[in-house]
Amino acid sequence: MAYRVTQRIISSDDLLYPYFDDLCRKSKLLYNAALFRVRNIFTGYDKEHRTENEVEVFQEVALLQRSYPNMHVRRVISYTHLEKMMRVTENADFFSGLPRQTAQQMVKQSVTDFKNWLASLREYKKHPEKYLGKPKMPRYKKSDLTTVIITNQDAVLYRDDIGMSLKLPLQKQRLYFSNLSSDPVLKEVKIKPYYGRFLLCLTLEEPDVAFDPSGSHVCAIDLGTDNFAAIVCDDYSSAIYKGGAVLSKIQWFHKQRAKYVSIITKGHEKKHAVSKRLRDLSFHYANFVKDQCHKISRSIVDYCIRHQAGTLVLGENKLWKQNSGIGTQNNQNFVSMPIALLKQLIIYKASGAGIRVIMQEESYTSKADITVMDYIPAYGIDDDKAVFSGTRISRGLYRCGNGLVINADCNGAANIMRKAIPDAWNDTDDFSFLASPEVCGFHELNPKGIPVKGIVAA
């Protein structure tokens, strides 16, 4: 089965806003209370002289074992034991009025986070090169709100004359959705704090889309900044998606945010700034970026369908942002672009369309000459063999060894395909289709008369 997510923003004037606010506040307190017990049992398990907090928690453990004599609490307490301990001690956060499944979910999350930390720590000791640093013990949530998960045992979808409605626990008010399929299967509801609002996410189950073998062609994508995405297909077509609008919005946002932070923190030693204006600024910026990434990813998947491509190759490099070394200005532009979000949306929509996605390491693909099939090594392996016939003559142009000038990003995308599928271009003699790709910019993605999220209409 496949999963699809539909979202809705709950603003402060919505009738259900107080309900969501109460759930997120109580869930944060419960998570911290559960994690407090997990951490103190772990740190005080073998101690002779325990701290006050550890003594208090082990008194609760003793009460649990008196109630359940056959129950032995280990150094890493299990979810079952912790949940029973919260019940036996009549923990105020556990019985604060949260739906029962939601309360259990928050307790389980604290245990899962702690066990994941221990697993990462063991893996770090064996393979530290896989990590950017030593994994740290899960910390308490500092913000007033946290993400809440409501299972399908507490939340139910109903169909009536108006459409599909969502019934939430401990709440009579229903939410109506007009964009759901006829018979959706609800798996869970997630409530996320979202810049002074809440983001309601419904995860729905739907049948898998089988891979369509009739899509015999292959597409490959090279992601970047000025050209957000360059896509080529082995049917001798290519296209680029301009990234200027997104990059301009990112730069505008950071300048505006720096301006307001400077105003708020002027004359104060602490530079932490919070205000409604900053939240609204971040809200509109996040909506704009998400909106553009959705439109570009949808256009890319439609391109694959239009060109009967059953396979899509996506280029990526591990730590390509952390280890970026392309100059101060280019580093800033590249690191700020939401490449991970776009990639995630492309994979999500491609899988929904039955398109197979291949992730390919893309080192040296922008330097190699596609027309003469230069050897492309992996970074750190055979670097001494990295000799290329062509050269990039400007930001967007690449001169091949035979004198042909093509789009540099399309050359990179074609090499990414060749790196994943070595014989992809074996029967191709003419690469001139890479010189004049179809251009899709902001105005093509956002025709006049259609509102853009994150932009207030005049």
Side-chain angles (χ1 to χ4, degrees):
M1 299 298 288
Y3 296 98
R4 182 170 66 89
V5 177
T6 185
Q7 299 179 341
R8 174 178 292 184
I9 294 174
I10 306 297
S11 302
S12 57
D13 56 352
D14 194 286
L15 292 176
L16 285 175
Y17 183 89
Y19 169 74
F20 291 143
D21 184 76
D22 185 60
L23 280 183
C24 291
R25 289 180 186 277
K26 290 178 178 177
S27 295
K28 175 255 183 176
L29 295 174
L30 176 56
Y31 177 89
N32 284 351
L35 185 61
F36 173 80
R37 284 151 180 82
V38 175
R39 287 177 54 147
N40 280 281
I41 291 173
F42 180 81
T43 57
Y45 194 78
D46 294 325
K47 279 186 180 179
E48 291 184 9
H49 304 287
R50 292 169 176 159
T51 65
E52 291 184 9
N53 288 339
E54 290 167 351
V55 169
E56 179 184 344
V57 171
F58 275 93
Q59 287 175 351
E60 295 184 358
V61 172
L63 181 59
L64 170 67
Q65 291 178 335
R66 283 199 298 271
S67 302
Y68 297 91
N70 295 327
M71 187 172 290
H72 176 67
V73 175
R74 298 183 178 180
R75 182 171 186 176
V76 181
I77 189 171
S78 68
Y79 157 70
T80 304
H81 292 176
L82 181 58
E83 194 260 354
K84 286 188 180 296
M85 189 169 78
M86 303 290 263
R87 289 179 181 274
V88 167
T89 58
E90 298 182 355
N91 183 272
D93 293 309
F94 189 76
F95 293 101
S96 62
L98 285 170
R100 185 57 49 230
Q101 293 288 333
T102 302
Q104 292 173 339
Q105 193 74 26
M106 297 310 299
V107 174
K108 185 180 293 185
Q109 171 110 34
S110 67
V111 176
T112 301
D113 289 349
F114 200 84
K115 288 184 176 180
N116 288 343
W117 167 66
L118 291 174
S120 299
L121 204 57
R122 289 191 293 270
E123 182 69 13
Y124 172 77
K125 291 179 180 179
K126 295 178 181 178
H127 303 285
E129 70 279 0
K130 293 183 179 180
Y131 294 81
L132 296 177
K134 185 177 180 180
K136 296 181 178 179
M137 183 184 291
R139 298 181 179 179
Y140 303 112
K141 297 184 183 295
K142 293 184 178 180
S143 61
D144 294 333
L145 307 170
T146 192
T147 300
V148 175
I149 295 176
I150 302 176
T151 67
N152 55 5
Q153 294 175 295
D154 280 338
V156 185
L157 275 176
Y158 293 100
R159 174 169 291 282
D160 52 30
D161 297 336
I162 301 177
M164 297 298 299
S165 62
L166 175 67
K167 172 67 173 64
L168 294 167
L170 310 177
Q171 182 59 231
K172 293 182 179 180
Q173 181 77 22
R174 291 190 184 184
L175 281 170
Y176 285 87
F177 294 84
S178 59
N179 59 338
L180 300 183
S181 58
S182 56
D183 294 309
V185 178
L186 180 66
K187 298 302 293 183
E188 71 175 22
V189 177
K190 188 174 289 186
I191 304 164
K192 297 181 178 180
Y194 191 66
Y195 305 111
R197 302 157 181 83
F198 292 101
L199 191 63
L200 180 68
C201 306
L202 272 63
T203 302
L204 308 170
E205 188 179 61
E206 57 186 23
D208 281 323
V209 178
F211 174 69
D212 185 6
S214 64
S216 56
H217 290 292
V218 179
C219 285
I221 296 176
D222 181 31
L223 301 172
T225 54
D226 292 343
N227 292 333
F228 204 172
I231 181 169
V232 299
C233 185
D234 61 358
D235 68 350
Y236 310 125
S237 62
S238 60
I240 57 174
Y241 292 85
K242 306 299 288 184
V246 175
L247 188 58
S248 176
K249 190 73 171 181
I250 291 171
Q251 293 172 342
W252 172 86
F253 165 73
H254 287 296
K255 287 181 180 178
Q256 290 293 108
R257 190 179 186 283
K259 171 186 171 182
Y260 291 120
V261 168
S262 176
I263 293 172
I264 295 171
T265 59
K266 187 175 181 180
H268 296 274
E269 292 182 2
K270 294 183 179 179
K271 299 302 180 182
H272 180 66
V274 178
S275 73
K276 185 178 183 302
R277 182 71 186 95
L278 284 175
R279 284 197 302 269
D280 289 345
L281 182 69
S282 299
F283 172 73
H284 289 292
Y285 161 74
N287 282 347
F288 177 86
V289 170
K290 189 184 296 185
D291 178 65
Q292 294 307 298
C293 287
H294 268 294
K295 288 175 179 176
I296 292 173
S297 59
R298 171 47 56 196
S299 181
I300 286 174
V301 172
D302 288 344
Y303 179 94
C304 294
I305 295 172
R306 193 165 61 249
H307 291 266
Q308 298 181 349
T311 303
L312 178 62
V313 184
L314 269 174
E316 69 168 356
N317 281 326
K318 292 183 178 180
L319 304 180
W320 57 355
K321 289 194 174 184
Q322 289 85 346
N323 298 334
S324 178
I326 51 179
T328 303
Q329 183 174 350
N330 288 332
N331 277 346
Q332 185 184 55
N333 292 341
F334 178 68
V335 170
S336 61
M337 287 294 283
I339 293 175
L341 173 61
L342 179 61
K343 187 188 301 182
Q344 177 186 357
L345 292 176
I346 291 172
I347 295 171
Y348 171 68
K349 292 175 183 177
S351 61
I355 299 172
R356 183 164 58 103
V357 177
I358 299 174
M359 305 304 297
Q360 176 58 49
E361 182 270 338
E362 63 167 34
S363 58
Y364 295 115
T365 53
S366 62
K367 293 184 177 182
D369 186 349
I370 186 63
T371 62
V372 295
M373 305 296 174
D374 282 338
Y375 172 69
I376 311 176
Y379 184 75
I381 303 174
D382 294 337
D383 287 337
D384 56 331
K385 297 181 181 180
V387 179
F388 307 114
S389 305
T391 182
R392 178 174 290 200
I393 58 177
S394 69
R395 177 63 189 88
L397 297 177
Y398 184 92
R399 181 185 287 122
C400 302
N402 61 4
L404 176 66
V405 177
I406 59 178
N407 182 276
D409 293 316
C410 289
N411 175 68
N415 279 319
I416 288 171
M417 185 190 299
R418 180 163 67 94
K419 208 167 186 180
I421 307 173
D423 59 349
W425 303 106
N426 284 358
D427 299 329
T428 305
D429 297 322
D430 183 10
F431 287 93
S432 59
F433 68 94
L434 300 177
S436 54
E438 176 187 348
V439 179
C440 187
F442 179 81
H443 295 293
E444 287 77 18
L445 292 169
N446 305 274
K448 290 184 178 179
I450 299 179
V452 180
K453 290 183 180 179
I455 293 182
V456 180

